[in-house]
Amino acid sequence: MEKQRLPENIGRYIELNETEILTLYKNVRIFSLNRKDFLLKEGQVCNSLFFVEKGCLRMFFINKKLTEQITQFALEGWWMADYFSFMGNTASEYYIQAIEKSTILAVDRTKFEDLLQEVPKLERYFRIIMQKAVASAQHRSKLEFDMSKEEFYHHFSSSFPEFIQRVPQYMVASYLGLTPEYLSELRKKK
Amino acid sequence: MEKQRLPENIGRYIELNETEILTLYKNVRIFSLNRKDFLLKEGQVCNSLFFVEKGCLRMFFINKKLTEQITQFALEGWWMADYFSFMGNTASEYYIQAIEKSTILAVDRTKFEDLLQEVPKLERYFRIIMQKAVASAQHRSKLEFDMSKEEFYHHFSSSFPEFIQRVPQYMVASYLGLTPEYLSELRKKK
DNA sequence: GCCATTTCTTAAACCAGCTTAACTTTCCCT
DNA sequence: AGGGAAAGTTAAGCTGGTTTAAGAAATGGC
């Protein structure tokens, strides 16, 4: 239990004492992943919420053209899950995979309920986290409606230059909803 | 205080006693809107969360082409807000408008915090509501990535046939991200 | 440090969905 | 009930972004 990104993250929104932090860790699994390891595959139930302590995850599904369509990334300090599958205990249509060597914290569904029971303040933390996720989704949706693919790419790469360095180009293309060939063309243009 | 959609909705996730329901109502404004009345306009701060008791709301922004781009609808039993503006106290880029005569409950930002303080169980309710909203956003995003506009329209109209009846076609087109002309063409085809 | 694999590039042909513009139908207000 | 405005339709021409295919460059595992 080296670093402490999660308590630090939680501490931004609520205050936990030592006992509560211990309870938190009692309900969390910590483990590391290699590049390309999977946390979730299509057909499985998403039984955990995943928190990225170190590294980077991507979420994708296999679309009708049988290619991988990336829908989300998660860097350090981000939560990731298929919430539909997690809440409804249903088979997921997504894959969650490590892009880099990563350290992950996982809260399993049953432990999650126990944890919220034992430390009700965490309801507030997760309420705020989820509210921020909804705000982000609203924002992304607006950008997609308002910008051409070209503008969207430039917007994204100037907003998250470090990210562009860190992740292969074809994944960025997939996430932004354009082909790697077209992204390559856009890069040449400018 | 005629009907009680909100307590009914809350009751699906947590149990409130009479006192708590009273506290709830003490922190909520109830009012009605005519067709085309606004709850929020671009430039204003979104100071409330809105709950649709009766009627229908739409959320939109003015895009680069200076046309209204609808990003969300809210029917009876749904919450709507610009969460980014609500959380950050910043100017909104959106409009929220009634499509029909509607009855709305509004929880203002300050009252919201008071309410959560007085009835902490509501943190849980809102956590779950927000989690479901995130799940929906994930789902919609997947559909958009995976379907052509034509498929997306057919999917939507077979999933929500009542809704298609209730809302003008050009608003459906806007929400689905296609032009009214193209939607008209699709309807003719089938 | 090397080689297989993965990632990125280039360019031409193509198409889903948009634009424009003019017309028709429906709705809503008094 | 009637008229003006709002909503829906039609069709032709156009374009942003995809597809295909093949070659070039970069990467990371051993």
Side-chain angles (χ1 to χ4, degrees), chain A residues 23-86:
Chain A
T23 309
L24 173 63
Y25 275 113
K26 232 187 304 172
N27 289 287
V28 159
R29 286 184 292 128
I30 309 189
F31 52 92
S32 47
L33 295 178
N34 288 318
R35 218 167 98 78
K36 305 205 172 175
D37 285 352
F38 285 94
L39 282 172
L40 177 70
K41 290 188 179 182
E42 186 177 357
Q44 298 176 345
V45 175
C46 182
N47 286 313
S48 316
L49 305 177
F50 301 108
F51 180 85
V52 182
E53 180 70 32
K54 180 87 192 50
C56 181
L57 301 178
R58 67 173 181 145
M59 187 166 178
F60 67 92
F61 68 94
I62 306 296
N63 66 16
K64 289 193 175 142
K65 291 164 199 154
L66 303 182
T67 66
E68 299 175 354
Q69 176 60 58
I70 297 177
T71 56
Q72 275 173 279
F73 292 108
L75 296 174
E76 286 83 7
W78 290 70
W79 287 92
M80 177 171 269
D82 174 351
Y83 290 100
F84 199 80
S85 171
F86 181 78

Side-chain angles (χ1 to χ4, degrees), chain B residues 150-177:
Chain B
E150 179 166 8
E151 291 170 318
F152 195 38
Y153 166 67
H154 287 127
H155 176 86
F156 185 76
S157 58
S158 60
S159 302
F160 309 103
E162 7 63 54
F163 191 76
I164 297 280
Q165 297 311 107
R166 193 163 166 184
V167 168
Q169 220 181 104
Y170 76 95
M171 288 195 188
V172 172
S174 173
Y175 176 69
L176 297 177

Side-chain angles (χ1 to χ4, degrees), chain B residues 48-50 57-59 72-74 78-81 83 96:
Chain B
S48 316
L49 305 177
F50 302 109
L57 302 177
R58 66 172 180 144
M59 186 166 180
Q72 274 172 279
F73 292 110
W78 289 69
W79 287 93
M80 177 172 267
Y83 290 100
I96 297 179

Side-chain angles (χ1 to χ4, degrees), chain A residues 59 61 63-64 69-72 81-85 93-94 133-134 136-146 175, chain B residues 57-61 68-74 78 80 94 131-149 151-153 155-157 159-160 163-164 167 170-179:
Chain A
M59 187 166 178
F61 68 94
N63 66 16
K64 289 193 175 142
Q69 176 60 58
I70 297 177
T71 56
Q72 275 173 279
D82 174 351
Y83 290 100
F84 199 80
S85 171
E93 301 177 316
Y94 294 93
V134 174
S136 301
Q138 285 182 331
H139 186 240
R140 166 163 180 154
S141 165
K142 178 169 190 285
L143 292 182
E144 283 188 339
F145 272 126
D146 208 19
Y175 177 71
Chain B
L57 302 177
R58 66 172 180 144
M59 186 166 180
F60 67 93
F61 68 94
E68 300 175 353
Q69 175 59 59
I70 298 178
T71 56
Q72 274 172 279
F73 292 110
W78 289 69
M80 177 172 267
Y94 295 92
Q131 215 167 287
K132 291 187 92 169
V134 175
S136 302
Q138 286 183 330
H139 186 239
R140 168 166 176 151
S141 166
K142 177 170 191 284
L143 293 181
E144 284 188 338
F145 272 126
D146 208 19
M147 292 180 172
S148 68
K149 304 260 161 164
E151 291 170 318
F152 195 38
Y153 166 67
H155 176 86
F156 185 76
S157 58
S159 302
F160 309 103
F163 191 76
I164 297 280
V167 168
Y170 76 95
M171 288 195 188
V172 172
S174 173
Y175 176 69
L176 297 177
L178 34 79
T179 59

Side-chain angles (χ1 to χ4, degrees), chain A residues 90-106:
Chain A
T90 54
S92 178
E93 301 177 316
Y94 294 93
Y95 298 78
I96 298 180
Q97 188 187 35
I99 295 180
E100 311 167 352
K101 241 177 187 307
S102 302
T103 307
I104 303 299
L105 308 196

